[in-house]
Amino acid sequence: MDDFVSIWEIYGLKTDPFCTSPILVKGGLISPKSFMGREEEMKRLEKIFRSSGGSRAIVCGGQGVGKTTLVNVARLRALEKRFFTPYQEVKADADWGINDFIINTISAVYSSLISIKEPSKEIVDTINKIKPVFDLYESEDKSYSLSTPILGGGYGKTRTVNKPEINTNFLTNLFQEIVTSLTKAGFREVIIHYNNLDNFDEEEKKLKGLFNRIRDFIQTPYVHFVFVGSTTTSSIITSVARVSNIINDTPIKLEPLSLAEIKKIIHTRVELSAIEDMNYYDPVADKAIETLYGLHNGNIRAVLNSLSTAVREVTEEKPVLLTDKLLKSVLYEIAKKRFADKITKTMQEVLMEMLRQKESTNKTLAEKLGKRTQNISKYFGIMKENQCIYLLRSDGREKHYSVAEWIKWLLLNPEEE
Ligand SMILES: Nc1ncnc2c1ncn2[C@@H]1O[C@H](COP(=O)(O)OP(=O)(O)OP(=O)(O)O)[C@@H](O)[C@H]1O
Ligand SMILES: [Mg+2]
């Protein structure tokens, strides 16, 4: 007998139904059929896309609330309404010059165009327009910045022949031409999704710089630019006055989904990952979802991750129903073994206090625990290394930390009901 069967197969499932990846526009592990809720936010995005001529929108919210998924599903629906949108999100970088920004935007469009199965003549023409420029860029080291006005010297001699002059003007015009060809090919308008700008919340100046640089480009007609990040990202972007006045509508802020929605998503996910023509076994009791919802403040990513960990831990050869009680003891033990036992008693105390405070600074902890700030700083370092805490935000010189979601499992101690 195969003693290395997939855990999920034991439940009659093809894959992990609690996988935390976002729903993608094309492919991906999670079916768009599992998308629930967000009616209001979806409607707002759709209205923005329907305001013909182009737009700029910000979608923001906490880590793992469902930002990427919302925008991807909105784009998926727009595809059905004959919009053009690259399958992949553009992973923006605050260090990008304007040329890098445009090139990466074009590159996202290009990757989707070349994957079209039976392209029309217009599409083929568009591909041919982009190809030389893009090939050239691809052949170069990506870390190379395109900010110089003309891609001149620096390459080997052979490369300098027949090379188009790639400067901002050239790229902007190229992008405009691409958009025009796409509309000629029958697409209504274009939507581009820039993801995870929150990576640069710590570098406010850089992020502002980027938005100052791209301000004109993101006004390209017939293109809808959607920027996704944290609420901090959103306030950084909107604090740039000349950018804020070209953003359509106020930022779309995502709050956690409701408990009922998350329950429905989870059971739907299980159903959708069932192996065809086989009975499946739903491993999660509603009570367990309720516990996790409370523990993780409604954060769906954290709820899914906790479920995945717990089910994997309890499963040996037979399906197991993850009751509330079982969930608590399993996750508590894991947190103890993997994290708490790895740090000193004193640090455990600090960690428990951080769990109570939700958001801590060196000062709030030193005061509360009567410890020296230097010591707290040292603990922060070690706890960060052990993935117990993460930097939530920093205002000025003050750094605000929060505990990792899995540390919250320590609050599930069955003996402390
Ligand atoms: N409305 C929804 N319906 C169904 N599933 C959802 C919904 N929103 C989010 N999810 C699921 O929750 C998980 C987290 O969503 P997603 O990755 O979109 O969050 P995010 O806010 O973009 O996270 P991050 O801050 O890490 O970028 C994913 O597995 C996704 O499939
Ligand atoms: Mg995301």
Side-chain angles (χ1 to χ4, degrees), residues 78-124:
L79 270 179
E80 288 154 13
K81 298 275 189 296
R82 307 238 2 113
F83 277 81
F84 178 86
T85 189
Y87 301 137
Q88 288 164 352
E89 312 106 36
V90 180
K91 207 161 176 254
D93 189 317
D95 283 322
W96 279 350
I98 171 70
N99 294 355
D100 303 302
F101 190 89
I102 305 177
I103 275 280
N104 279 280
T105 305
I106 294 176
S107 141
V109 171
Y110 183 67
S111 323
S112 292
L113 286 177
I114 55 176
S115 70
I116 294 179
K117 260 200 180 142
E118 282 162 26
S120 63
K121 187 183 167 297
E122 284 90 353
I123 298 286
V124 175

Side-chain angles (χ1 to χ4, degrees), residues 19-23 30 34-38 61-70 195-196 198 228 254 257 265 269 300-301 304:
C19 160
T20 57
S21 357
I23 294 173
I30 315 294
S34 69
F35 184 81
M36 313 269 160
R38 303 278 185 230
Q63 273 181 24
V65 279
K67 304 177 296 292
T68 306
T69 295
L70 170 76
N195 212 25
N196 286 122
D198 45 296
V228 176
L254 300 195
L257 292 156
I265 290 168
R269 285 255 204 125
I300 182 167
R301 154 90 45 80
L304 290 168

Side-chain angles (χ1 to χ4, degrees), residues 28-60:
L29 296 164
I30 315 294
S31 164
K33 283 186 200 141
S34 69
F35 184 81
M36 313 269 160
R38 303 278 185 230
E39 287 84 8
E40 179 80 33
E41 294 90 345
M42 190 61 91
K43 203 181 262 163
R44 280 183 64 190
L45 266 181
E46 280 171 1
K47 285 247 167 94
I48 292 173
F49 297 156
R50 280 167 57 200
S51 59
S52 316
S55 70
R56 288 133 306 269
I58 298 176
V59 172
C60 64

Side-chain angles (χ1 to χ4, degrees), residues 242-301:
R242 54 195 287 278
V243 173
S244 124
N245 60 32
I246 59 163
I247 302 280
N248 303 66
D249 208 339
T250 55
I252 300 176
K253 184 168 180 237
L254 300 195
E255 301 297 341
L257 292 156
S258 73
L259 173 60
E261 283 163 342
I262 292 194
K263 278 185 186 166
K264 204 162 155 209
I265 290 168
I266 287 169
H267 296 306
T268 308
R269 285 255 204 125
V270 173
E271 201 180 316
L272 289 169
S273 48
I275 302 171
E276 288 85 10
D277 305 322
M278 251 184 83
N279 283 328
Y280 68 91
Y281 185 100
D282 189 332
V284 192
D286 272 353
K287 265 276 186 213
I289 302 178
E290 280 164 34
T291 297
L292 291 175
Y293 188 85
L295 187 73
H296 298 303
N297 305 100
N299 184 301
I300 182 167
R301 154 90 45 80

Side-chain angles (χ1 to χ4, degrees), residues 156-170:
K157 274 219 173 81
T158 46
R159 290 250 179 93
T160 52
V161 225
N162 296 332
K163 178 166 41 61
E165 291 185 352
I166 305 180
N167 55 33
T168 306
N169 247 338
F170 173 83

Side-chain angles (χ1 to χ4, degrees), residues 106-330:
I106 294 176
S107 141
V109 171
Y110 183 67
S111 323
S112 292
L113 286 177
I114 55 176
S115 70
I116 294 179
K117 260 200 180 142
E118 282 162 26
S120 63
K121 187 183 167 297
E122 284 90 353
I123 298 286
V124 175
D125 289 347
T126 316
I127 291 174
N128 289 337
K129 214 175 276 168
I130 311 174
K131 201 172 181 310
V133 184
F134 188 52
D135 281 353
L136 180 72
Y137 182 73
E138 273 290 86
S139 68
E140 296 304 322
D141 175 5
K142 275 283 180 61
S143 63
Y144 172 88
S145 170
L146 282 171
S147 323
T148 36
I150 294 172
L151 280 186
Y155 318 146
K157 274 219 173 81
T158 46
R159 290 250 179 93
T160 52
V161 225
N162 296 332
K163 178 166 41 61
E165 291 185 352
I166 305 180
N167 55 33
T168 306
N169 247 338
F170 173 83
L171 291 171
T172 309
N173 288 337
L174 177 65
F175 185 66
Q176 262 161 12
E177 274 178 50
I178 295 167
V179 174
T180 307
S181 330
L182 288 172
T183 49
K184 278 197 189 131
F187 291 104
R188 269 170 73 168
E189 293 190 345
V190 176
I191 305 170
I192 317 258
H193 171 175
Y194 300 88
N195 212 25
N196 286 122
L197 283 157
D198 45 296
N199 285 343
F200 304 96
D201 287 356
E202 289 293 292
E203 297 164 284
E204 183 167 349
K205 243 201 186 137
K206 276 192 186 168
L207 196 58
K208 282 184 178 167
L210 176 70
F211 274 83
N212 263 312
R213 291 192 287 276
I214 63 173
R215 183 188 186 266
D216 292 334
F217 175 70
I218 60 178
Q219 293 182 78
T220 307
Y222 310 112
V223 184
H224 302 273
F225 295 86
V226 185
F227 300 100
V228 176
S230 70
T231 45
T232 307
T233 321
S234 168
S235 47
I236 294 175
I237 299 173
T238 50
S239 73
V240 185
R242 54 195 287 278
V243 173
S244 124
N245 60 32
I246 59 163
I247 302 280
N248 303 66
D249 208 339
T250 55
I252 300 176
K253 184 168 180 237
L254 300 195
E255 301 297 341
L257 292 156
S258 73
L259 173 60
E261 283 163 342
I262 292 194
K263 278 185 186 166
K264 204 162 155 209
I265 290 168
I266 287 169
H267 296 306
T268 308
R269 285 255 204 125
V270 173
E271 201 180 316
L272 289 169
S273 48
I275 302 171
E276 288 85 10
D277 305 322
M278 251 184 83
N279 283 328
Y280 68 91
Y281 185 100
D282 189 332
V284 192
D286 272 353
K287 265 276 186 213
I289 302 178
E290 280 164 34
T291 297
L292 291 175
Y293 188 85
L295 187 73
H296 298 303
N297 305 100
N299 184 301
I300 182 167
R301 154 90 45 80
V303 173
L304 290 168
N305 194 38
S306 294
L307 285 175
S308 180
T309 307
V311 174
R312 264 184 281 126
E313 184 72 11
V314 298
T315 310
E316 297 294 345
E317 280 141 32
K318 287 195 309 270
V320 177
L321 179 67
L322 197 63
T323 60
D324 186 45
K325 194 164 169 235
L326 183 58
L327 172 96
K328 284 177 177 159
S329 65
V330 167

